[in-house]
Amino acid sequence: MKTTVFSTHKFEEPHLVAANRGKHELNLLEVRLTGITVSLAQGADAVSLFTSDDASAEVLNKLSAFGIKYIALRTAGYNNVNTKKAAELGIKVSRVPAYSPYAIAEHTVALILALNRKLIRSHNRVRDMNFSLNGLTGFDMNGKTAGVIGTGKIGAILIKILHGFGCKILAYDSFEDKMLIEKYGICYTDCKTLCAQSDIVSLHVPLSTETKHLINSDCIDHMKSGVMLINTSRGGLVDTKAVIKGLKTGKIGYFGMDVYEEEEGLFFEDHSDEILQDDVIARLMTFNNVLITSHQAFLTDTALTNIADTTIYNLDCFEKQIDSGNEVASN
Ligand code: NAI
């Protein structure tokens, strides 16, 4: 099947080529899908998209006009796709629901430990021949209360790891997972109580109209003073300006983020020759208790192989459906 692959990154190209084994005609493009670049999909049967591609109603209308019938997401999250519009237009959407929840949970722990033990500051000092320990004091994870918001695939693995550290775990989710309660003694509670009682708050729910700015000024006001906030899920879960306010007052003692509300067009790309225009992220970068990674939590060999394999499998399935004259079910 002719597939235009938008936002192809160097790190995923070999995995996609290996998984494809020459079956589909993949047009690997580095550019993001936007209202302007959408014309590059002309002549293809399908497009494959990544996190920062724009599959809004306007772009979907154009894709549909070009005869695109299928979108193979190379991501688990699908908040960048207007799925209602896609269904209306008869465009089928597939995603990679689980490629390695371990990758994201482990990166979350990397952020927690690096912030807690001030590894970046320490590393920079040592490189500057400054071996002083002043200002580098961390805290024992053992005995601390960790609040995990979203106990699906990623949240569950994070809970397992944090349980290993000896943390007490509070959880918030629309569905209670009995296995997690029995195995790790976690306590489900409401979001406000979790925020009020946790030393570390980590986000693992999808972004939706319900969860947009779940962490806002009101919620931050209820948090413990000096709380650690970690977001490896989606930027929009957090009101970033409210977090900056919390950092300035010391209410938030640490902030680790792998995702950012305004990451489209910023993350995944080299802007080192440009002048940073985003004043919000610029302010965040001034705090020495903020650690930012650019949406790399998923970036492990295992995850990349699984993403590529599932994406090609999804294209295979779609092609088979076309061949047999049937349609695949909408996402
Ligand atoms: P999942 O679907 O297994 O778990 C999500 C959990 O959130 C479910 O238990 C669900 O019941 C709960 N939930 C959904 N809406 C809720 C609401 N309004 N209130 C309370 N609970 C709610 O998803 P998974 O695989 O654990 O991924 C979680 C998120 O992590 C994804 O949606 C995605 O945004 C993000 N992610 C980030 C990556 C990165 O590289 N930084 C990579 C992959 C996923």
Side-chain angles (χ1 to χ4, degrees), residues 277-295:
Q277 299 297 328
D278 183 329
D279 292 346
V280 177
I281 199 160
R283 182 68 179 101
L284 278 174
M285 284 157 63
T286 65
F287 296 99
N288 63 17
N289 53 351
V290 172
L291 185 47
I292 303 171
T293 52
S294 59
H295 210 137

Side-chain angles (χ1 to χ4, degrees), residues 50-51 75-79 95-101 103-104 107-108 149-157 172-177 188 191 203-212 214 231-235 237 258-259 263 268 293-299 307:
F50 204 62
T51 326
T75 53
Y78 51 92
N79 54 286
R95 65 183 178 122
V96 185
Y99 39 85
S100 174
I104 297 100
H107 189 78
T108 303
I149 299 183
T151 59
K153 291 177 284 296
I154 297 167
I157 290 159
Y172 168 65
D173 198 296
S174 328
F175 299 98
E176 294 196 0
D177 184 332
Y188 278 95
C191 191
L203 294 162
H204 303 285
V205 284
L207 178 62
S208 65
T209 41
E210 265 176 74
T211 59
K212 170 119 180 138
L214 188 68
N231 186 10
T232 58
S233 193
R234 282 294 179 268
L237 296 174
D258 183 56
V259 283
E263 71 181 51
F268 299 115
T293 52
S294 59
H295 210 137
Q296 75 173 73
F298 72 97
L299 198 61
I307 290 170

